[in-house]
Amino acid sequence: MTIKIGILGYGNLGRGVECAIKHNPDMELAAVFTRRDPEDVHILTENVPVYPAAEAIDRKDDIDVLILCGGSATDLPKQTPEYAKYFNVVDSFDTHARIPEHFEAVDKAAGESGHTGLISAGWDPGMFSLSRMYANAVLPGGHDYTFWGRGVSQGHSDAIRRIDGVKDARQYTIPVESALEAVRSGSDPELTTRQKHTRECFVVAEEGADLARIEKEIVTMPNYFADYDTTVHFISQEELNRDHRGIPHGGFVIRTGKTGWNDENSHVIEYSLKLDSNPEFTASVIVAYARAVYRLNQEGQKGCKTVFDIAPAYLSPESGEELRKYLL
Amino acid sequence: MTIKIGILGYGNLGRGVECAIKHNPDMELAAVFTRRDPEDVHILTENVPVYPAAEAIDRKDDIDVLILCGGSATDLPKQTPEYAKYFNVVDSFDTHARIPEHFEAVDKAAGESGHTGLISAGWDPGMFSLSRMYANAVLPGGHDYTFWGRGVSQGHSDAIRRIDGVKDARQYTIPVESALEAVRSGSDPELTTRQKHTRECFVVAEEGADLARIEKEIVTMPNYFADYDTTVHFISQEELNRDHRGIPHGGFVIRTGKTGWNDENSHVIEYSLKLDSNPEFTASVIVAYARAVYRLNQEGQKGCKTVFDIAPAYLSPESGEELRKYLL
């Protein structure tokens, strides 16, 4: 018996979930739900239906876990609590500051309906959060550092595209190597925003646009670029399409701390990711947690969970016996 | 109310546990039990009693969790199941091949007595196992690599000390940088024992000993050194005491894997530790899991657990609300 997954929203993340299901033989894609015209949505899996989002609830009995692949700004705060009334749900809600209220809303809906929900699966929040949490528990009184990149920031790329005279753009966030080294040395540096990351922009300008003005608008843009050392490269649309099509990302979570009666020994815990495809990796984490959510619900555990609340063994298709034998 | 910890066995690991308790204000050291004469055991914490190991069971009502700090070869296979009849227990059993039988023995004893046991806490097994397990769940079909070091191997140091003419020795296991780089590149290399680690030995010879013979005996020793590129340095006892007194260790767990409909995207997940003190870090992990064991037992969960069976939130003194707010 396989775990039947539904996908709501078929963009990069939804397609990533579809690919991740292909890599997990104990799962199958049952249906895709879309707010677009289903006729216009061409999925990769053969013989799986695409339905209008409005029909999802009618098909709830065909689905063990519904994965919500919308955005955190406006989609998920509404969708996850709403669908938790009818489905076990997993989302990748990533607005860190609003996680507490999102958790409460999903917990209420899922608790009342007897379903299990998991919010904020992915890598940050997600795998990075786990690394922070384990490292904090093991080295109390230490220092945490998170660096992101080298990777594409969609939000920063969008901000550049909104500038007058810009046709297209791609922005990379890059951790500063010397800052990483300072952290790894255990010297507990205090790092400013500028010292931690640089930003590199590849911009396609419209014909005849004022490049100097565009560059100045980028590097002085508050919140997005003004606090960083930012480099701007003007390239052609062909170059952008050829060299910057991917959506790589990654980063580093480092915790340093002391042990010993007089704090005489130093330790460095480091977790890092180097990802060719941000949405596909995020989707891979989501799908592992969909397995856990299904099992927890089978055991009668209801309400909202996060990655902190789920024992690692629930993520794996292997038995406890096999895990102890081969991975412990 | 604090969690009252007992320590059985006061060597490097027991002392590390004592230091870790000092770093965790929700815990207190209740007693140390030793097989030596308690008069000869001088602990760091003031006003805490040291009792003969034989008296431990009489004092079971004073202790929430007993941490077993003996060795994996002969102590723990007997001690952990025996004491699980009377206490919640945590050990750092690290003979990977014998984990399944040790688990069964502890599970039976703890299950029958209504206690909770956790075996194989530490960093390998322990934090490294967690990294392997999460990464396997997220990237099915990938490749796992574990490298150890740079760090002191007690077993290999002991093996050198048993050679005729050797007064003292310290052996370091060192991962080969080019092998690490090959793994990180995602090329899925097949690595031999020799390609993964080198071994470096610092040896104090007895006066007039045949250094060439000692070196040859080391580098050709089956299982321990013959399969590695091994370097031998003869130094004085003073140099050994001055420069090689610490017990550093660490290592790297790396998993590489593919995602995408046609496996077109590669990902690298890496977890690493750089530890000044192997026993103190191991002890820090053990103490975090002692907190989890205490809580699970309070909830009525009995029997043997491993790090795979415990939701991360149980390790932290913070509430779920705080964890979601600050670490997710």
Side-chain angles (χ1 to χ4, degrees):
Chain A
M1 221 216 46
T2 54
I3 303 171
K4 294 187 282 300
I5 304 289
I7 293 173
L8 180 74
Y10 193 76
N12 283 331
L13 185 61
R15 196 180 302 106
V17 169
E18 182 182 21
C19 294
I21 292 168
K22 189 189 181 191
H23 286 77
N24 286 280
D26 62 333
M27 310 196 138
E28 65 173 303
L29 180 61
V32 169
F33 302 100
T34 178
R35 286 180 295 192
R36 291 179 273 165
D37 181 344
E39 294 290 320
D40 296 339
V41 174
H42 303 287
I43 69 171
L44 301 162
T45 315
E46 283 179 17
N47 303 318
V48 168
V50 180
Y51 297 119
E55 289 179 24
I57 292 166
D58 301 337
R59 305 192 181 272
K60 67 186 168 62
D61 295 337
D62 305 336
I63 308 252
D64 293 318
V65 184
L66 181 67
I67 297 178
L68 302 166
C69 297
S72 295
T74 56
D75 296 336
L76 298 177
K78 287 191 163 181
Q79 286 176 350
T80 315
E82 175 61 21
Y83 287 99
K85 295 178 187 167
Y86 310 97
F87 296 91
N88 299 314
V89 292
V90 180
D91 78 16
S92 59
F93 185 76
D94 67 358
T95 311
H96 291 259
R98 296 187 61 195
I99 284 174
E101 63 190 280
H102 189 54
F103 180 89
E104 293 305 325
V106 176
D107 193 46
K108 185 166 184 293
E112 286 173 4
S113 69
H115 288 102
T116 310
L118 183 120
I119 60 163
S120 304
W123 59 275
D124 195 3
M127 303 312 291
F128 273 18
S129 320
L130 284 170
S131 291
R132 284 188 283 263
M133 219 235 81
Y134 278 113
N136 269 263
V138 170
L139 292 177
H143 291 77
D144 286 312
Y145 298 87
T146 303
F147 292 84
W148 294 272
R150 185 177 191 260
V152 171
S153 164
Q154 215 57 61
H156 287 78
S157 301
D158 289 344
I160 299 171
R161 278 192 285 264
R162 286 192 294 265
I163 293 173
D164 195 46
V166 171
K167 223 173 114 189
D168 205 348
R170 185 60 54 113
Q171 192 270 175
Y172 296 90
T173 304
I174 304 166
V176 174
E177 191 58 41
S178 60
L180 275 167
E181 287 308 322
V183 168
R184 288 179 184 131
S185 77
S187 68
D188 300 338
E190 295 251 1
L191 297 166
T192 63
T193 298
R194 190 177 299 275
Q195 286 170 322
K196 286 185 70 184
H197 297 93
T198 56
R199 298 195 177 277
E200 189 168 22
C201 313
F202 294 87
V203 180
V204 182
E206 281 168 7
E207 186 128 352
D210 179 348
L211 303 188
R213 175 191 53 81
I214 290 174
E215 178 167 352
K216 193 175 166 200
E217 280 196 42
I218 294 172
V219 301
T220 60
M221 195 186 296
N223 303 319
Y224 286 88
F225 295 101
D227 298 334
Y228 298 85
D229 290 338
T230 301
T231 321
V232 178
H233 308 279
F234 289 97
I235 61 175
S236 68
Q237 186 74 55
E238 292 66 41
E239 288 172 303
L240 191 86
N241 295 349
R242 186 191 67 207
D243 302 333
H244 304 281
R245 208 176 32 170
I247 318 176
H249 221 312
F252 304 80
V253 175
I254 303 176
R255 185 169 174 89
T256 56
K258 309 273 190 191
T259 64
W261 195 249
N262 296 307
D263 282 354
E264 59 270 32
N265 287 309
S266 295
H267 306 274
V268 183
I269 303 174
E270 178 167 343
Y271 179 81
S272 69
L273 295 172
K274 209 177 96 201
L275 312 175
D276 271 1
S277 167
N278 182 353
E280 287 179 8
F281 187 82
T282 300
S284 299
V285 177
I286 288 173
V287 164
Y289 275 98
R291 178 183 290 120
V293 160
Y294 172 74
R295 289 175 172 176
L296 288 169
N297 189 258
Q298 295 283 103
E299 290 182 5
Q301 295 203 42
K302 294 156 198 165
C304 190
K305 311 280 175 191
T306 75
V307 295
F308 297 154
D309 306 312
I310 293 184
Y314 283 99
L315 304 184
S316 171
E318 308 296 331
S319 68
E321 211 171 348
E322 285 175 303
L323 293 175
R324 286 191 292 276
K325 198 164 174 183
Y326 299 112
L327 290 179
L328 195 62
Chain B
M1 222 216 45
T2 54
I3 303 171
K4 294 188 282 299
I5 303 290
I7 294 173
L8 180 74
Y10 194 75
N12 284 332
L13 185 61
R15 197 180 303 107
V17 170
E18 183 182 21
C19 294
I21 292 168
K22 188 188 181 193
H23 287 77
N24 286 280
D26 62 332
M27 310 195 137
E28 65 173 303
L29 180 60
V32 170
F33 302 100
T34 179
R35 286 180 296 192
R36 291 180 272 164
D37 182 344
E39 294 289 321
D40 296 339
V41 174
H42 303 288
I43 69 171
L44 301 162
T45 314
E46 284 178 16
N47 303 318
V48 168
V50 180
Y51 297 119
E55 289 180 23
I57 292 166
D58 301 338
R59 306 195 179 269
K60 67 186 168 61
D61 295 337
D62 305 335
I63 297 200
D64 293 318
V65 183
L66 181 67
I67 297 179
L68 302 165
C69 297
S72 294
T74 56
D75 297 334
L76 298 177
K78 288 191 163 181
Q79 287 176 350
T80 316
E82 176 60 21
Y83 287 100
K85 294 178 187 167
Y86 310 98
F87 296 92
N88 298 314
V89 291
V90 180
D91 78 16
S92 60
F93 184 76
D94 67 358
T95 311
H96 290 261
R98 298 188 58 195
I99 285 174
E101 62 190 280
H102 189 54
F103 180 90
E104 293 303 328
V106 176
D107 193 46
K108 185 165 184 293
E112 286 174 3
S113 70
H115 288 102
T116 310
L118 182 119
I119 61 163
S120 304
W123 58 275
D124 196 1
M127 303 311 292
F128 273 18
S129 320
L130 284 171
S131 291
R132 284 188 282 264
M133 220 235 81
Y134 278 113
N136 269 263
V138 170
L139 292 177
H143 292 77
D144 286 311
Y145 298 87
T146 303
F147 292 84
W148 294 272
R150 185 177 190 258
V152 172
S153 165
Q154 215 57 61
H156 287 77
S157 302
D158 290 344
I160 299 171
R161 278 192 285 263
R162 285 191 295 265
I163 293 175
D164 196 44
V166 171
K167 223 173 112 188
D168 204 349
R170 186 59 55 113
Q171 192 270 177
Y172 295 90
T173 305
I174 304 165
V176 174
E177 191 58 40
S178 61
L180 274 167
E181 288 307 321
V183 168
R184 288 178 184 132
S185 77
S187 69
D188 299 338
E190 296 252 0
L191 297 166
T192 63
T193 298
R194 190 178 299 275
Q195 287 170 322
K196 286 185 71 184
H197 297 93
T198 56
R199 297 195 178 278
E200 189 168 21
C201 313
F202 294 88
V203 181
V204 182
E206 281 167 7
E207 185 124 355
D210 179 347
L211 304 187
R213 175 191 54 81
I214 291 174
E215 179 166 354
K216 195 176 166 200
E217 280 195 43
I218 294 172
V219 303
T220 60
M221 195 185 295
N223 302 320
Y224 285 88
F225 294 101
D227 297 334
Y228 298 86
D229 290 339
T230 301
T231 321
V232 179
H233 309 279
F234 289 98
I235 62 174
S236 68
Q237 186 73 55
E238 292 67 40
E239 287 171 304
L240 192 85
N241 295 349
R242 186 190 67 207
D243 302 334
H244 303 282
R245 208 176 32 170
I247 317 174
H249 220 311
F252 305 80
V253 174
I254 303 174
R255 186 168 173 88
T256 56
K258 310 273 191 191
T259 65
W261 195 250
N262 296 307
D263 282 353
E264 58 270 34
N265 288 309
S266 294
H267 306 273
V268 183
I269 302 174
E270 177 167 343
Y271 180 81
S272 69
L273 295 172
K274 208 176 98 202
L275 313 175
D276 272 1
S277 166
N278 182 352
E280 287 179 9
F281 187 81
T282 301
S284 300
V285 177
I286 288 174
V287 164
Y289 275 99
R291 178 183 291 121
V293 159
Y294 172 75
R295 289 176 173 175
L296 288 169
N297 189 258
Q298 294 284 100
E299 290 182 5
Q301 295 202 44
K302 294 157 197 165
C304 191
K305 312 281 176 189
T306 75
V307 296
F308 297 153
D309 305 313
I310 293 185
Y314 283 99
L315 304 184
S316 171
E318 308 295 331
S319 69
E321 210 171 346
E322 285 175 303
L323 293 176
R324 286 191 291 277
K325 198 164 173 183
Y326 299 111
L327 291 178
L328 195 63

